[in-house]
Amino acid sequence: MFVKLCGLRTESDVAVAVGTGADAVGFVLTTSPRQIDVDLAGRLVAAVPEHVLTVAVVRGITAAEAGELALKTGVRALQLHGDYPREAFDELADLPFGLIRATALGPETDVRTGAFGEELLLIDSPVAGSGEQWDISRLEDAPPTGQWLLAGGLSPETVAGAISVAKPWGVDVSSGIESSRGVKDHGRMREFVAGARASLP
């Protein structure tokens, strides 16, 4: 089970995430309680070992702006969160990082990983970053294909059950591992990764 811990903001957050065995860590670079600036993101990215995927997370900016931020921080992947069109992914295709398409599940959502040229697909709550749970049983009628991550309202308490229902390739969490908005709880980070991995058959 691929596990991404998102919204990290401190060196200790990164150290704990790596210590848990997380597969990916995310840094939010646009408006959010978890936003950090490019310089700090670059320092945190530099502290992550090569085997852990580093991800810049952006929302509400152009593809060109997003690509510039990703290049400045040195991440290995860029997550475009929201209603980015296929053209945005095409614009970034030749840059030296992978692409993650993060979107909510709607009637017109293309749930095929790679449909926009991305390496990973992330299906999130309609209110990203809110911690609100959503009806993941809807995925049973439109199961995503390929390497996709389940997000939105996950926590150490709910992740195993969510995995059993949605059967994702991986999971992503941010608010569910916090002690207060934007502040990571290192104990909950460890519990989340353990819970996700324990759900494996």
Side-chain angles (χ1 to χ4, degrees):
M1 180 60 56
F2 186 95
V3 179
K4 175 171 169 273
L5 303 182
C6 200
L8 307 188
R9 299 174 64 202
T10 68
E11 292 179 2
S12 58
D13 289 348
V14 169
V16 171
V18 171
T20 68
D23 301 286
V25 291
F27 306 100
V28 180
L29 302 180
T30 51
T31 304
S32 160
R34 303 168 186 95
Q35 182 179 6
I36 57 175
D37 64 37
V38 170
D39 290 341
L40 175 56
R43 292 196 300 274
L44 296 181
V45 166
V48 179
E50 187 67 23
H51 69 275
V52 179
L53 181 67
T54 50
V55 182
V57 180
V58 301
R59 184 184 185 93
I61 61 174
T62 67
E65 291 168 326
E68 186 176 339
L69 288 175
L71 288 172
K72 285 180 178 177
T73 55
V75 291
R76 290 170 47 212
L78 172 61
Q79 178 175 315
L80 297 179
H81 212 115
D83 297 324
Y84 282 91
R86 171 65 194 253
E87 290 74 21
F89 291 83
D90 291 342
E91 187 176 339
L92 297 164
D94 293 332
L95 294 178
F97 45 74
L99 296 173
I100 300 173
R101 174 167 60 104
T103 185
L105 185 65
E108 304 301 321
T109 304
D110 193 326
V111 293
R112 297 171 301 157
T113 300
F116 284 28
E118 76 278 9
E119 281 81 8
L120 293 175
L121 171 66
L122 187 151
I123 303 295
D124 199 1
S125 157
V127 187
S130 66
E132 292 181 10
Q133 292 188 315
W134 59 286
D135 184 8
I136 61 173
S137 67
R138 293 164 52 205
L139 290 163
E140 294 175 325
D141 297 324
T145 61
Q147 295 183 338
W148 70 280
L149 309 181
L150 177 67
L154 298 181
S155 69
E157 296 78 19
T158 65
V159 64
I163 289 171
S164 69
V165 171
K167 298 177 175 58
W169 176 79
V171 289
D172 174 272
V173 66
S174 186
S175 58
I177 51 172
E178 292 179 345
S179 56
S180 60
R181 201 146 176 77
V183 179
K184 289 295 180 275
D185 181 310
H186 295 167
R188 289 182 68 76
M189 290 168 67
R190 297 184 184 96
E191 290 165 10
F192 183 88
V193 175
R197 296 271 162 74
S199 68
L200 292 172

